[in-house]
Amino acid sequence: MPETLGPLGIFGGTFDPVHLGHLRLAEEAREALGLATVRWIPAGQPPHRNSPKISGAHRLAMVQAAVADNPAFQVDGAEVSSTAPSYTIHTLERLRQEVGPQRPLILLLGADAFAGLATWYRWQDLLKLAQLAILHRPGHPLDEKALAPELNALLKAHRAHDAPVLASAPAGKILSLPMTQLDISATHIRELLASGRSPRYLLPPAVLDYIQQHQLYRNP
Ligand code: ATP
């Protein structure tokens, strides 16, 4: 891939459902890091959390609806289509094959996701394949007291202090990145829907339309 394409952002999650916190994270990371593209990758069977409440096909369709009007956002359905558990390391290996050894891959993680990184399959290998950008999230401070010792050590050893450092190499650095703080979670949206309340303005109208059309997240 030509160097002019710029870094590729990778944004995984259960997106159960996708909401404005996710969209602002991707948009602010795109601008701050000079990402040519953000590849959204809904997880199929996430190994580290409770199963998503609805099918991968629905979660994928909602992400497609949410990002349809942004030419810099692409949706990747590979994890949803696979029957194997979704391991980020395998996705990074696939994308590294796709883009070649030089292009920077930047894995975008909310601070809560980073705090759980040491439980991920082959987490020590992630930085061999990608850069990490940790986006701040309300209630999840990125400080020594809040982080596990092995993550503090990882942060200390690999920390970058500005965005150009991430764009200048294919992998190996971690950048902590502020973003507009939006206290929105998919859990809260599911709770609102299950109790018959409105999640309007917390997620894109096209996603809410999809949820209503398919009667998702209602209590059984
Ligand atoms: P749930 O409430 O079901 O756990 P969630 O809202 O945290 O879901 P995920 O799909 O688990 O959403 O998150 C995907 C990624 O987006 C993770 O890296 C997470 O940290 C990040 N993220 C989600 N919501 C926000 C937010 N409001 N601000 C910043 N980052 C966020």
Side-chain angles (χ1 to χ4, degrees):
M1 287 256 175
E3 197 60 27
T4 50
L5 276 182
L8 176 65
I10 301 158
F11 188 32
T14 43
F15 304 124
D16 188 20
V18 60
H19 54 67
L20 296 185
H22 299 129
L23 285 154
R24 277 311 296 178
L25 181 156
E27 181 69 354
E28 294 191 29
R30 184 192 64 71
E31 267 193 326
L33 302 171
L35 304 176
T37 304
V38 176
R39 190 82 67 94
W40 291 64
I41 311 183
Q45 302 176 25
H48 294 301
R49 43 177 295 157
N50 296 335
S51 292
K53 301 292 173 252
I54 61 163
S55 73
H58 279 317
R59 291 181 292 106
L60 181 67
M62 289 190 286
V63 173
Q64 278 161 340
V67 308
D69 62 354
N70 190 327
F73 291 169
Q74 289 175 356
V75 185
D76 182 329
E79 288 192 9
V80 162
S81 312
S82 168
T83 49
S86 295
Y87 290 117
T88 300
I89 191 74
H90 292 154
T91 294
L92 292 181
E93 285 168 345
R94 169 171 67 85
L95 295 176
R96 180 50 74 200
Q97 284 278 65
E98 182 189 316
V99 304
Q102 295 306 326
R103 189 173 178 195
L105 292 176
I106 306 184
L107 183 64
L108 309 178
L109 291 175
D112 60 310
F114 179 72
L117 197 78
T119 64
W120 292 19
Y121 179 56
R122 290 176 51 199
W123 66 275
Q124 286 101 333
D125 293 338
L126 296 170
L127 282 168
K128 295 178 188 157
L129 292 160
Q131 315 276 29
L132 297 190
I134 308 168
L135 284 295
H136 300 180
R137 185 174 184 180
H140 298 278
L142 198 64
D143 63 30
E144 251 175 61
K145 279 171 265 132
L147 280 181
E150 61 268 46
L151 290 181
N152 259 321
L154 188 81
L155 199 52
K156 277 207 178 91
H158 295 272
R159 192 155 198 166
H161 290 285
D162 57 25
V165 172
L166 293 202
S168 68
K173 293 284 181 199
I174 306 177
L175 182 70
S176 157
L177 206 60
M179 63 169 277
T180 305
Q181 293 297 277
L182 296 170
D183 195 2
I184 302 175
S185 71
T187 303
H188 180 55
I189 291 172
R190 292 193 302 272
E191 284 166 1
L192 291 173
L193 286 161
S195 62
R197 284 177 294 160
S198 165
R200 202 173 168 196
Y201 309 123
L202 297 175
L203 71 184
V207 175
L208 186 52
D209 286 349
Y210 187 97
I211 290 171
Q212 284 167 344
Q213 196 182 336
H214 295 271
Q215 306 190 355
L216 305 178
Y217 303 113
R218 296 192 175 177
N219 256 346

